Amino acid sequence: MSTELDLLDGFIQDAVCLDETFKETSTLRHPTDQGNEREHAVRTVIGQYIRRRATVYKRAGVEDSSTGAWFRQQDVVLADPTVEPHHILKDDGRVYIDPSAVHTSIEVKSVVDGDVLATAMQSIADIQTAPRRRQAEVHHLRFPTSSGQINYVPISGGVFAYRSTSRRVRTVTRWIEGWCRGRPPEEWPKFVTIAGFGHFMWCDPRSGSSVPWPTTGTEVLMCFQATRSHHPLVAMSTHLNHLSRLWWVPGTEFRLGGVGNIPHGLRVGEAVYPPGVSAPRSTCKHACLDCQRFSPR
């Protein structure tokens, strides 16, 4: 119980700190300065709650070390610390990472509307579809996609925003689904989290169960809408920890990681489903009653 209370207190404090960072940096004149401070705050929070060893970078360039293919500068990158190269320029600390070492990329935005979110999702799509070369000629893995199977776990990506110009779930859903329409699910963001508002992710329309990533293209968007300011942080951290079960570098030995869920009792918000989709039958016996559950994928 004490661990749960400590975590709850931490999430509440971090939600307050993120909000204060947004307000305080609004006085900075240069947008780059604002972005630096806000990205640093998100990176710090994520590093506290990821329960699997990973190196968390801010503003890391993702570049194939063999071909030179460029996959943009990503705002926050969760990478495997054991895989080279993580090339850091000594003069200004800039980081360049091979896609094979990248687990998850997160675009950080101050305020999103449909256009800003579309740009962020395109950046995520670029990194999620980056090929991941094997580090050795052993230990293959087959991962299902909408067009067949690939021999590596693809990079995950999502968007974190401090604010949205709309506070309507339906409007933000329309922005996300409108961009995803006609694109393969491999390009869709795994999540869009808006501080103090909600965590948008995908669910199976037949069962209503959350899915950590879309693979068939039939998944629909749902939202864990905040009723307390810390709920989106809890939902995003839970989602990232579930994705971390399949963090894997091609060519290395594959070991399914622990789920590492946030302890029961920390709410993720009120589940909002699209029309025609019903919530799954609750099997949760805990006091929270709205634990974030994933269907087996």
Side-chain angles (χ1 to χ4, degrees):
M1 178 62 72
S2 61
T3 301
E4 294 177 4
L5 292 176
D6 290 343
L7 270 174
L8 175 58
D9 184 61
F11 276 112
I12 293 174
Q13 291 184 38
D14 283 334
V16 172
C17 287
L18 285 174
D19 189 61
E20 291 178 346
T21 296
F22 180 82
K23 293 176 180 177
E24 291 172 356
T25 53
S26 296
T27 63
L28 298 175
R29 295 183 179 181
H30 202 290
T32 300
D33 295 335
Q34 290 183 359
N36 271 323
E37 293 297 318
R38 292 168 181 175
E39 289 164 12
H40 177 75
V42 174
R43 172 198 171 193
T44 300
V45 167
I46 289 173
Q48 293 176 356
Y49 299 112
I50 287 297
R51 298 186 169 191
R52 181 180 170 92
R53 185 167 177 261
T55 301
V56 185
Y57 292 113
K58 177 173 72 71
R59 293 198 175 184
V62 180
E63 182 178 37
D64 191 300
S65 58
S66 176
T67 66
W70 177 249
F71 299 99
R72 300 185 184 236
Q73 177 178 273
Q74 304 294 322
D75 291 339
V76 176
V77 172
L78 281 66
D80 191 310
T82 66
V83 176
E84 296 294 340
H86 292 200
H87 184 56
I88 302 176
L89 298 184
K90 294 181 180 178
D91 59 341
D92 59 7
R94 281 183 292 170
V95 179
Y96 294 90
I97 310 175
D98 189 275
S100 295
V102 177
H103 296 313
T104 299
S105 175
I106 301 174
E107 279 289 293
V108 179
K109 297 299 177 184
S110 294
V111 181
V112 292
D113 57 16
D115 292 336
V116 172
L117 192 53
T119 300
M121 290 188 291
Q122 182 61 62
S123 180
I124 290 302
D126 289 346
I127 188 64
Q128 287 187 150
T129 53
R132 304 185 72 197
R133 293 176 297 103
R134 293 195 302 273
Q135 298 295 309
E137 295 302 318
V138 294
H139 304 301
H140 294 261
L141 180 71
R142 296 294 181 184
F143 188 90
T145 71
S146 61
S147 58
Q149 292 186 324
I150 54 179
N151 61 0
Y152 54 85
V153 178
I155 297 169
S156 298
V159 179
F160 177 91
Y162 283 86
R163 297 287 192 275
S164 170
T165 57
S166 174
R167 298 286 291 185
R168 291 175 58 87
V169 170
R170 184 173 298 181
T171 299
V172 178
T173 297
R174 187 172 68 248
W175 293 343
I176 299 171
E177 290 185 333
W179 184 87
C180 294
R181 191 172 299 117
R183 301 172 185 267
E186 290 74 42
E187 296 186 15
W188 300 359
K190 303 298 184 289
F191 60 85
V192 173
T193 305
I194 302 173
F197 177 29
H199 180 77
F200 294 80
M201 59 183 298
W202 304 97
C203 74
D204 185 333
R206 298 165 299 178
S207 66
S209 295
S210 306
V211 295
W213 52 77
T215 55
T216 66
T218 61
E219 296 85 356
V220 293
L221 203 66
M222 65 169 297
C223 175
F224 286 103
Q225 188 173 18
T227 57
R228 296 288 188 275
S229 63
H230 63 280
H231 287 168
L233 286 182
V234 179
M236 182 177 69
S237 298
T238 303
H239 197 162
L240 286 172
N241 275 291
H242 194 93
L243 290 173
S244 75
R245 298 184 69 206
L246 290 184
W247 281 352
W248 179 69
V249 175
T252 62
E253 183 177 358
F254 177 73
R255 295 180 180 177
L256 187 65
V259 177
N261 284 336
I262 303 300
H264 291 289
L266 301 187
R267 291 175 178 266
V268 295
E270 179 183 357
V272 179
Y273 295 90
V277 178
S278 300
R281 184 176 63 86
S282 178
T283 58
C284 176
K285 304 300 182 182
H286 299 83
C288 61
L289 299 181
D290 63 348
C291 296
Q292 192 176 27
R293 300 177 301 276
F294 292 99
S295 65
R297 272 292 175 95

